[in-house]
Amino acid sequence: HVQLVESGGGSVQAGGSLRLSCVASRVTHDIHSGYCMGWFRQAPGKEREGVAAIDSDGSTGYADSVNGRFTISRDNAKNTVYLEMNSLEPEDNAMYYCAADDWASVIAGVVPGVADFRHWGQGTQVTVS
């Protein structure tokens, strides 16, 4: 069973930046060879939504609301995925979750849906004021 642990959340002022990290463990094969990794967020009273995803071949996808402000990347040697968040806005306030699945795929820049990922982290809170 894949385990995902997020870190890097916190409180920042509007316009600020944060970098989230997600470390995967207990993977059946290394991240580079097959897993699509995604970042999702959920604000109080709202559904969980896809923010960004990166496929095993490096293909990336972003939600329109974050495109140009957020960047997803991966370090295969460390089984780690990052989400660099710049120009943060109060609308970015949410719990951010890391997700992984070896069947999910980024196609034409579209972030796979929540149902496409079987493995989830516990989340890290991002607060923008």
Side-chain angles (χ1 to χ4, degrees):
H1 180 70
V2 175
Q3 291 189 339
L4 303 171
V5 178
E6 305 97 332
S7 62
S11 297
V12 295
Q13 292 187 338
S17 300
L18 282 174
R19 188 194 196 200
L20 306 183
S21 299
C22 171
V23 180
S25 60
R26 296 189 180 181
V27 293
T28 56
H29 43 275
D30 69 67
I31 291 293
H32 176 67
S33 65
Y35 284 90
C36 178
M37 305 293 292
W39 284 99
F40 290 75
R41 66 186 181 187
Q42 188 167 18
K46 294 187 176 181
E47 293 186 354
R48 191 169 297 189
E49 62 175 359
V51 175
I54 184 166
D55 215 332
S56 56
D57 65 357
S59 300
T60 58
Y62 296 93
D64 290 342
S65 59
V66 307
N67 201 11
R69 299 188 298 122
F70 291 10
T71 302
I72 189 170
S73 62
R74 64 199 299 161
D75 184 334
N76 296 322
K78 297 181 179 180
N79 276 357
T80 300
V81 176
Y82 305 98
L83 185 67
E84 186 75 36
M85 305 186 295
N86 298 314
S87 302
L88 283 162
E89 305 168 351
E91 291 74 21
D92 298 317
N93 270 312
M95 184 72 77
Y96 283 70
Y97 297 92
C98 178
D101 201 283
D102 52 0
W103 283 99
S105 183
V106 176
I107 299 174
V110 177
V111 179
V114 170
D116 293 319
F117 290 90
R118 289 173 290 171
H119 309 292
W120 293 86
Q122 294 300 306
T124 184
Q125 179 68 41
V126 171
T127 303
V128 184
S129 59

